[in-house]
């Protein structure tokens, strides 16, 4: 048994990114990726957008190009699961039996969709969206059009799937627990997205949640969603998008410190020597704010994989890039950078109008200010502003609110002033 290998548990973006960085940094020893899915590491964001809409081919989802793993001597064990971690003896056990020793271990098991524990949850036609196969099956269903689709959850994924379902010509209702969609945003911002969706024919049942799914006469398929207000909605298909739960079972069993994910420092080191964690599963220290944050976003997995790989090699590295994510809904593009935890309850300043949604999709930028400095910023339909927004956040500069909200003042000027 080779005791010098790098082992990665999990086969998503964080894993693919880490493997690539290990090789790029000159590691020429063994790398093993143990990946539960039967598919090379792939990007999930298109699963609720371009791929779901049939606009992106399967090949575009790959984290690393086809053939990269074999060409770079990475032992990619697809369809295999890590079932135990033993930090004391630096080995992992695979579900199929063998023990794999490691020099350094990366935990990149991601997260699983949260499920609903209400009557009828197991009926056919009630689905969630996490894996490639989920998106493919959903695309087949939605692309038929003319179906009654109910989305449970008005978060990012729920809203994206609602947009795709409607684009395919289905009757779409979103059921959301919060009074406005995208509950972590201020009501006026969530409301903007509600109006965008309503203009396209999506219906909302907000401030409601499902309490039961009714079955068709044969008792097999979903036919109706009943909410807490007694509202009944006929449904041919229900998509449950109520968040994810980090896959921490293995880490917990191994005695690692866990709390809303696997707790790691800014170099992505867990509490066990030689064990690192990255991506959706990791709750990492943000050097910029001093907060611990578990981010469920693409850029966190991509950059976390890179940082973890360097740390595994003993290179000084920290995950210090501001969190970033994007979404596309009905042709509206949104990007968000910054520290969401700090943005909660912070002062919201808008640049541009969010009142109108139908006049050529005018864009706007939302800024969240703490002690006068921008801690997060979201640009909607204003592409090419992210670079300046990121610089503004990183500068910690106290900004002039009037100038910040004035679209005629170039963002770059505000950065320079800071
Ligand atoms: C539909 C959808 C749309 C999204 N859209 C966006 C977006 O627009 N913007 C954005 O920023 N983010 C988006 N995200 C989130 C983003 O995709 C995730 O943050 C990212 O995939 C996390 O990568 P990861 O490598 O940490 O985990 P994952 O991608 O979850 O990969 C983990 C992998 O490890 C496997 N695994 C788990 N346990 C084991 C084990 N014990 N042994 C072996 N393998 C194991 C899992 O099966 C999985 O394949 C979206 C996610 C989804 C599902």
């Amino acid at each position: 048994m080779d005791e010098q290998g790098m082992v990665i548990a999990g086969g998503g973006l964080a894993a693919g990114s880490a493997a690539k960085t290990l090789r790029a940094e000159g590691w020429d020893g063994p790398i093993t990726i143990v990946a539960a899915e039967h598919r090379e590491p792939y990007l999930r964001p298109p699963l609720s957008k371009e791929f779901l809409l049939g606009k992106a081919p399967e090949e575009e989802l790959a984290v690393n190009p086809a053939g990269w793993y074999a060409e770079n001597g990475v032992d990619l064990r697809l369809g295999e699961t890590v079932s135990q971690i033993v930090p004391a003896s630096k080995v992992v056990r695979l579900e199929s039996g063998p023990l794999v020793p490691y020099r350094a271990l990366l935990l990149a098991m991601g997260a699983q969709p949260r499920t609903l524990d209400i009557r009828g949850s197991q009926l056919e036609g009630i689905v969630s969206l996490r894996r490639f196969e989920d998106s493919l099956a959903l695309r087949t269903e939605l692309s038929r059009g003319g179906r009654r689709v109910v989305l449970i959850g008005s978060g990012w994924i729920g809203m994206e799937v609602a947009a795709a379902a409607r684009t395919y010509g289905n009757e779409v209702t979103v059921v959301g627990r919060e009074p406005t969609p995208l509950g972590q945003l201020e009501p006026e911002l969530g409301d903007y997205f509600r109006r965008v969706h309503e203009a396209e024919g999506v219906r909302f049942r907000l401030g409601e949640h499902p309490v039961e799914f009714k079955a068709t006469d044969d008792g097999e398929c979903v036919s109706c969603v009943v909410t807490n207000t007694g509202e009944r909605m006929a449904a041919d298909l229900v998509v449950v998008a109520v968040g994810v739960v980090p896959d921490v079972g293995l880490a917990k069993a191994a005695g690692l410190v866990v709390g809303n994910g696997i707790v790691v420092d800014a170099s992505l080191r867990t509490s066990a020597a030689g064990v690192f964690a990255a991506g959706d599963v990791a709750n990492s220290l943000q050097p910029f704010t001093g907060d611990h944050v578990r981010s469920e976003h693409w850029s966190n997995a991509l950059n976390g994989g890179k940082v973890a790989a360097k740390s595994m090699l003993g290179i000084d590295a920290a995950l210090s890039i501001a969190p970033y994510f994007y979404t596309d809904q009905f042709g509206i593009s949104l990007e968000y950078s910054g520290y969401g935890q700090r943005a909660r309850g912070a002062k919201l300043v808008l640049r541009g109008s969010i009142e109108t949604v139908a006049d050529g999709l005018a864009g706007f930028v939302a800024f969240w200010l703490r002690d006068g400095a921008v801690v997060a910023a979201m640009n909607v339909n204003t592409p090419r502003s992210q670079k300046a927004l990121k610089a503004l956040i990183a500068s910690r500069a106290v900004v002039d609110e009037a100038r910040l909200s004035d679209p005629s003042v170039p963002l770059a000027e505000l950065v320079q002033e800071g």
Side-chain angles (χ1 to χ4, degrees):
M1 288 200 299
D2 191 321
E3 295 187 355
Q4 296 303 307
M6 300 294 186
V7 174
I8 302 173
L13 174 55
S17 164
K20 191 171 178 188
T21 306
L22 284 169
R23 285 291 182 245
E25 291 294 334
W27 171 254
D28 58 4
I31 301 175
T32 304
I33 300 180
V34 185
E37 293 184 61
H38 292 266
R39 179 171 293 276
E40 290 190 356
Y42 60 92
L43 302 169
R44 295 181 202 274
L47 299 184
S48 50
K49 311 177 193 60
E50 306 92 315
F51 183 76
L52 188 58
L53 284 163
K55 292 181 178 166
E58 192 177 330
E59 308 80 73
E60 277 183 18
L61 272 52
V63 170
N64 293 314
W68 184 89
Y69 300 91
E71 283 160 20
N72 286 277
V74 175
D75 180 9
L76 179 57
R77 303 198 191 177
L78 297 178
E80 181 66 273
T81 306
V82 172
S83 59
Q84 192 187 8
I85 311 163
V86 192
S89 38
K90 289 199 155 192
V91 292
V92 298
R93 183 183 296 283
L94 305 191
E95 188 76 48
S96 58
L99 293 172
V100 182
Y102 61 80
R103 170 191 167 115
L105 169 66
L106 174 61
L107 303 178
M109 288 92 68
Q112 297 297 327
R114 192 171 280 133
T115 52
L116 291 175
D117 188 19
I118 58 174
R119 193 164 353 154
S121 293
Q122 307 310 320
L123 290 168
E124 224 173 274
I126 302 175
V127 300
S128 60
L129 176 57
R130 183 77 190 173
R131 296 184 167 205
F132 174 83
E133 291 75 14
D134 300 332
S135 179
L136 194 60
L138 195 54
R139 187 167 89 179
T140 306
E141 286 296 315
L142 295 180
S143 60
R144 291 183 185 148
R147 320 207 57 200
R148 294 163 303 182
V149 181
V150 177
L151 269 301
I152 309 294
S154 59
W156 299 110
I157 292 180
M159 294 290 275
E160 288 170 0
V161 175
R166 188 69 198 132
T167 302
Y168 280 124
N170 297 285
E171 213 177 274
V172 181
T173 307
V174 176
V175 178
R177 201 179 261 276
E178 314 287 339
T180 48
L182 306 170
Q184 72 267 52
L185 296 179
E186 280 70 2
E188 57 263 56
L189 296 174
D191 216 47
Y192 166 83
F193 282 92
R194 178 186 58 75
R195 285 182 282 123
V196 167
H197 279 246
E198 281 179 347
E200 299 285 347
V202 174
R203 288 192 290 251
F204 284 88
R205 302 289 319 178
L206 295 168
E208 293 186 34
H209 60 272
V211 291
E212 185 181 353
F213 297 115
K214 298 269 188 204
T216 46
D217 288 346
D218 62 7
E220 288 187 5
C221 300
V222 67
S223 68
C224 171
V225 179
V226 185
T227 76
N228 57 316
T229 63
E231 176 73 18
R232 288 165 168 254
M233 276 161 279
D236 305 308
L237 181 67
V238 174
V239 184
V240 178
V242 292
V244 295
V245 183
D247 230 324
V248 295
L250 283 180
K252 221 176 193 172
L256 272 58
V257 175
V258 166
N260 182 26
I262 302 170
V263 176
V264 289
D265 65 12
S267 301
L268 306 188
R269 291 180 289 230
T270 70
S271 56
V275 184
F276 303 79
D280 281 12
V281 80
N283 182 355
S284 62
L285 177 71
Q286 277 173 349
F288 191 84
T289 61
D291 301 329
H292 262 88
V293 170
R294 195 177 65 74
S295 172
E296 295 165 0
H297 293 300
W298 158 89
S299 73
N300 175 61
L302 177 74
N303 296 311
K306 292 179 187 173
V307 168
K310 289 183 184 168
S311 296
M312 289 164 90
L313 294 169
I315 301 168
D316 204 15
L319 186 54
S320 52
I321 294 172
Y324 164 87
F325 71 89
Y326 68 92
T327 180
D328 296 306
Q329 298 167 26
F330 291 122
I332 293 194
S333 69
L334 173 154
E335 293 174 280
Y336 178 108
S337 271
Y339 301 94
Q341 235 160 274
R342 292 295 162 110
R344 231 158 281 147
K347 177 154 197 199
L348 177 68
V349 174
L350 295 172
R351 155 183 285 240
S353 170
I354 63 166
E355 295 310 317
T356 45
V357 293
D359 62 347
L361 303 174
F364 67 90
V365 183
F367 300 91
W368 285 267
L369 267 64
R370 238 184 225 287
D371 302 324
V374 178
V375 291
M378 178 176 99
N379 57 305
V380 175
N381 274 345
T382 50
R384 293 181 293 284
S385 35
Q386 269 296 309
K387 200 172 162 208
L389 296 177
K390 282 181 175 142
L392 201 52
I393 294 165
S395 74
R396 297 181 196 255
V398 172
V399 288
D400 179 326
E401 272 180 43
R403 284 172 61 71
L404 193 63
S405 61
D406 180 353
S408 70
V409 177
L411 287 170
E413 240 173 60
L414 292 160
V415 178
Q416 278 158 17
E417 286 165 16

